[in-house]
Amino acid sequence: MKIKFLGAVESVTGSCHLIEVNDKKILLDCGQFQGKKEIEQLNYKDFEFAPGDIDYLLLSHAHIDHSGRIPLLVKKGFKGKIFCSKPTYDLCEIMLRDSGHIHEVEAEWKNRKAERAGREKVEPLYTESDAEESFKYFEPLLYEQLTEIDENLTVRFNDAGHILGSAIIEIWIKEGEETTKLVFSGDLGMKDKPILKDPTIIEKADYLIIESTYGNRLHEKIGERIDILANIILKTVRRGGTVVIPSFAVGRTQEIIYELNQYYDGNKKIQSELAQIPVYIDSPLATKATEVFKKNAHVFDEEAREYIMIGDNPLEFENLHFTQSAEESKALNTSDEPKIIISASGMCDAGRIKHHLKHNLWKKKSSVIFVGYQAEGTLGRRIRDGEKAVKIFGEEIQINAEIYSVEGFSGHADKNGLLDWLSGFKEGPKQVFIVHGEDDSKKEFALEINNKLGLDCVIPLPGKEYDLISENFSENQVTAKEDKNINIEKDKKVDGKCLQPASKEKIDELLNEIVKLKELFQDSLLLTEESLNNNINVEDFNIINNKILEIEKNIVNLTMLSGK
Ligand SMILES: [Zn+2]
């Protein structure tokens, strides 16, 4: 089995790894490069493989730096299958369309300039309709569902707690009589993150590919993040300013809505003052993503489900507005009312956020709060790093507003979170490949893993092919202490636990539960029909629907297992 690391190697973005085994080619992610111009230029380079030769794409999550080149892959001839979780598919539907649209607009803009300068026209990387075309190759799976893709390849997607639908992918690959288990962490979330469950603990792997975005850093003040945010909001609004929060449309925006909602509920004294402040979600994508969240409430964590159970929608509160049209968006900057504007993109490179920064950065009374990772070279990074002025739409804008960075909202686990997750392995991995981090982060994290957990780490070189079976990794290894290397006996079998046939009693028990729930469900439907005018049973409907989905998921799992 050979593996090549083609993206998220020299930088954080463009996640893409190629596995070649038996006569199959499998891609892990197909992400877009984001950040500096030179990095974005990489998107236009040919793929380092023939897209038509790829059999399967296993997609960890919907973020564009993991999924953004899928429409291009399809445009260039991919005809295989794309596996991901169901919420990831739902998010890709809106995010890849949006991405296609952005590429079209960018190309148009470049072409207008090119025409004036007598230069040749450019093609968009891909269009909205290319994105549309790619959806027919998606095959969404349930979390924890063991899926035999072909006789030599079995996969399971587990909640990674990073964004809705994000997955840690377990991959069992059979070569002759031997089975090797590869685990791809995708991006790992923080524990106790709002809305989402904690990253699933994986107990066994022969090889692991892990992200390292925060591999050498610790998140500070996680518990206080919402207090810090609320204090900045109050301070700014009391002096008549506007709070601008650049935020990823998908994930971060919903978390902030959720946490503000929770904060309002828990702080009765200032609740009325806070409730006066209008919160505008000014991103059509964020609005659509919020709908996808509501549709996938069955994967929410306990706390968020409890909200739903008591009939409180955790993603709605008084004075929360979703703006739609460009006119509504512009109107936010012509009015002087103190407010909160949450807008995308999160790193300020594109989207409506640029207008809000242009109108607020120069104002002393306004504040800009960064709540997410800012990649090198992005406008967000430059503002956060303290530049005195920046160019936006060709205009020099002084930075007089107060600039804050509230890190506790990160979507990524920090160094301790990653180590904690790694310590969940009971067997292996015998080799850890560290990707998706800036150079220092990868190196320091590798040493940390080697030192604390005694695992061998490799920071893969871009484009180099690693033969997992015969490779001598020592030349590339990052080792803290030689004697700490541990040698784990390779178990050729798939985890015993997951392939054990489920007991018939367990399946019967679950089927009984389904029957009971269906009765409840029917009652609820009847009631809804009776009281159609006052809509009282929509929440009940959702709760029961989610429960049925959950049980169905378990049955699918157990049935899959007993079939083995
Ligand atoms: Zn991500």
Side-chain angles (χ1 to χ4, degrees):
M1 184 186 351
K2 290 170 185 164
I3 181 158
K4 245 189 210 176
F5 300 87
L6 303 171
V9 189
E10 281 173 300
S11 68
V12 179
T13 62
S15 177
C16 185
H17 316 299
L18 172 67
I19 301 168
E20 286 185 66
V21 64
N22 303 319
D23 54 350
K24 292 283 194 293
K25 286 189 169 69
I26 305 154
L27 270 194
L28 304 179
D29 288 351
C30 189
Q32 200 170 301
F33 293 97
Q34 295 174 307
K36 286 182 198 166
K37 243 189 193 163
E38 310 89 85
I39 291 183
E40 301 224 334
Q41 211 46 44
L42 295 172
N43 291 315
Y44 293 86
K45 270 179 69 178
D46 284 341
F47 285 108
E48 292 177 55
F49 46 82
D53 290 350
I54 303 295
D55 297 279
Y56 313 114
L57 163 59
L58 309 177
L59 175 62
S60 66
H61 63 290
H63 275 151
I64 290 299
D65 62 321
H66 294 256
S67 71
R69 288 226 282 174
I70 290 176
L72 184 67
L73 186 79
V74 171
K75 186 175 149 185
K76 300 275 182 192
F78 172 84
K79 292 268 182 282
K81 291 177 180 173
I82 304 170
F83 295 96
C84 64
S85 74
K86 170 71 171 57
T88 293
Y89 172 68
D90 291 343
L91 286 176
C92 277
E93 270 198 320
I94 57 167
M95 292 171 77
L96 293 179
R97 266 198 196 105
D98 181 74
S99 176
H101 176 71
I102 290 170
H103 288 304
E104 285 177 50
V105 172
E106 257 174 23
E108 259 172 51
W109 181 76
K110 279 184 192 160
N111 284 339
R112 274 200 300 275
K113 279 176 89 171
E115 217 171 352
R116 288 195 293 268
R119 282 197 309 266
E120 230 173 273
K121 285 195 174 182
V122 295
E123 280 269 311
L125 187 65
Y126 56 86
T127 62
E128 207 175 327
S129 76
D130 292 328
E132 189 84 40
E133 175 68 16
S134 71
F135 301 144
K136 62 180 186 209
Y137 297 94
F138 277 78
E139 303 216 355
L141 303 173
L142 293 168
Y143 274 141
E144 291 167 31
Q145 177 185 347
L146 207 59
T147 306
E148 199 179 273
I149 292 179
D150 65 32
E151 54 183 0
N152 295 320
L153 184 66
T154 300
V155 296
R156 179 162 59 186
F157 286 69
N158 307 276
D159 202 331
H162 166 67
I163 61 158
L164 188 80
S166 64
I168 301 160
I169 314 175
E170 294 172 282
I171 309 157
W172 291 270
I173 299 171
K174 235 170 103 185
E175 277 180 286
E177 288 307 300
E178 287 193 8
T179 300
T180 305
K181 182 179 175 190
L182 184 72
V183 171
F184 177 39
S185 76
D187 287 355
L188 290 169
M190 275 196 316
K191 269 190 173 176
D192 301 324
K193 205 171 145 61
I195 312 174
L196 303 180
K197 289 180 183 160
D198 291 345
T200 310
I201 296 295
I202 308 293
E203 296 188 346
K204 199 182 145 193
D206 292 311
Y207 299 95
L208 168 69
I209 303 169
I210 189 171
E211 68 122 329
S212 58
T213 317
Y214 283 94
N216 60 349
R217 274 176 293 170
L218 294 175
H219 294 319
E220 285 169 33
K221 299 176 180 162
I222 290 170
E224 299 158 39
R225 64 190 168 207
I226 188 66
D227 299 277
I228 298 171
L229 191 74
N231 282 334
I232 302 169
I233 290 171
L234 284 171
K235 200 170 110 183
T236 309
V237 167
R238 281 174 186 161
R239 63 171 184 246
T242 287
V243 179
V244 178
I245 306 180
S247 170
F248 299 108
V250 181
R252 191 62 34 82
T253 298
Q254 291 73 26
E255 277 167 46
I256 292 173
I257 296 173
Y258 180 91
E259 292 228 34
L260 281 176
N261 186 13
Q262 210 179 24
Y263 189 83
Y264 287 11
D265 286 349
N267 288 275
K268 300 285 177 206
K269 265 195 198 158
I270 40 171
Q271 194 179 28
S272 59
E273 187 183 359
L274 282 163
Q276 299 278 313
I277 310 166
V279 180
Y280 295 98
I281 307 297
D282 187 33
S283 154
L285 183 61
T287 305
K288 285 184 199 146
T290 308
E291 288 310 310
V292 172
F293 267 70
K294 289 177 185 170
K295 196 166 112 183
N296 284 285
H298 59 283
V299 301
F300 286 5
D301 66 5
E302 278 301 304
E303 190 190 64
R305 280 169 185 234
E306 269 166 31
Y307 266 97
I308 299 169
M309 299 286 237
I310 56 166
D312 182 3
N313 188 330
L315 294 172
E316 275 170 17
F317 58 83
E318 209 187 321
N319 230 344
L320 173 69
H321 310 274
F322 292 87
T323 53
Q324 299 293 343
S325 64
E327 286 67 37
E328 281 178 276
S329 173
K330 278 178 200 151
L332 295 178
N333 289 318
T334 48
S335 115
D336 234 6
E337 86 180 324
K339 57 189 161 299
I340 304 169
I341 302 173
I342 303 176
S343 185
S345 73
M347 298 195 208
C348 312
D349 271 358
R352 293 181 178 180
I353 189 68
K354 288 173 81 176
H355 294 275
H356 301 305
L357 289 172
K358 183 179 154 187
H359 287 278
N360 283 288
L361 273 175
W362 58 275
K363 289 180 189 158
K364 259 191 175 153
K365 60 182 181 180
S366 290
S367 299
V368 177
I369 312 177
F370 290 101
V371 289
Y373 181 75
Q374 304 298 313
E376 267 182 81
T378 57
L379 176 62
R381 176 76 160 245
R382 283 187 281 133
I383 297 170
R384 202 203 64 185
D385 284 354
E387 285 199 11
K388 297 276 170 273
V390 285
K391 257 196 178 156
I392 301 176
F393 299 122
E395 200 178 313
E396 174 116 337
I397 310 289
Q398 294 294 311
I399 301 181
N400 301 322
E402 290 181 0
I403 310 295
Y404 299 93
S405 188
V406 182
E407 265 204 4
F409 284 99
S410 175
H412 292 269
D414 64 2
K415 182 177 81 179
N416 287 346
L418 291 169
L419 287 170
D420 188 44
W421 181 77
L422 270 165
S423 65
F425 280 94
K426 293 199 173 121
E427 282 184 61
K430 60 181 188 178
Q431 201 64 245
V432 181
F433 294 96
I434 299 175
V435 296
H436 204 283
E438 281 166 13
D439 273 354
D440 290 350
S441 183
K442 282 190 286 198
K443 277 181 206 145
E444 287 172 42
F445 186 47
L447 289 173
E448 198 83 31
I449 296 176
N450 193 252
N451 215 349
K452 294 219 166 104
L453 303 169
L455 297 170
D456 287 344
C457 300
V458 166
I459 297 171
L461 300 169
K464 180 177 154 50
E465 191 169 72
Y466 294 85
D467 190 327
L468 292 193
I469 308 301
S470 62
E471 189 85 24
N472 176 4
F473 289 99
S474 56
E475 58 177 305
N476 304 307
Q477 224 150 63
V478 186
T479 310
K481 285 178 190 156
E482 290 300 329
D483 58 353
K484 282 243 172 174
N485 292 350
I486 52 164
N487 234 337
I488 298 148
E489 261 294 291
K490 187 172 163 190
D491 186 347
K492 312 293 184 202
K493 292 190 193 86
V494 176
D495 291 6
K497 200 180 93 193
C498 66
L499 282 191
Q500 247 161 35
S503 71
K504 195 179 172 307
E505 291 89 79
K506 185 77 189 157
I507 290 183
D508 285 345
E509 201 182 302
L510 285 167
L511 287 174
N512 272 335
E513 264 191 89
I514 274 262
V515 172
K516 274 191 223 153
L517 273 168
K518 276 201 173 141
E519 284 167 8
L520 254 171
F521 199 55
Q522 274 154 3
D523 288 346
S524 163
L525 279 177
L526 283 174
L527 273 172
T528 313
E529 262 171 35
E530 273 167 25
S531 49
L532 232 134
N533 290 337
N534 46 16
N535 262 339
I536 50 166
N537 274 299
V538 177
E539 282 313 333
D540 286 349
F541 180 91
N542 283 338
I543 291 162
I544 297 170
N545 197 23
N546 288 346
K547 276 194 177 162
I548 290 185
L549 277 172
E550 182 87 2
I551 294 172
E552 236 167 40
K553 183 184 81 179
N554 287 333
I555 292 184
V556 172
N557 267 348
L558 288 167
T559 320
M560 290 281 303
L561 298 178
S562 31
K564 297 257 159 185

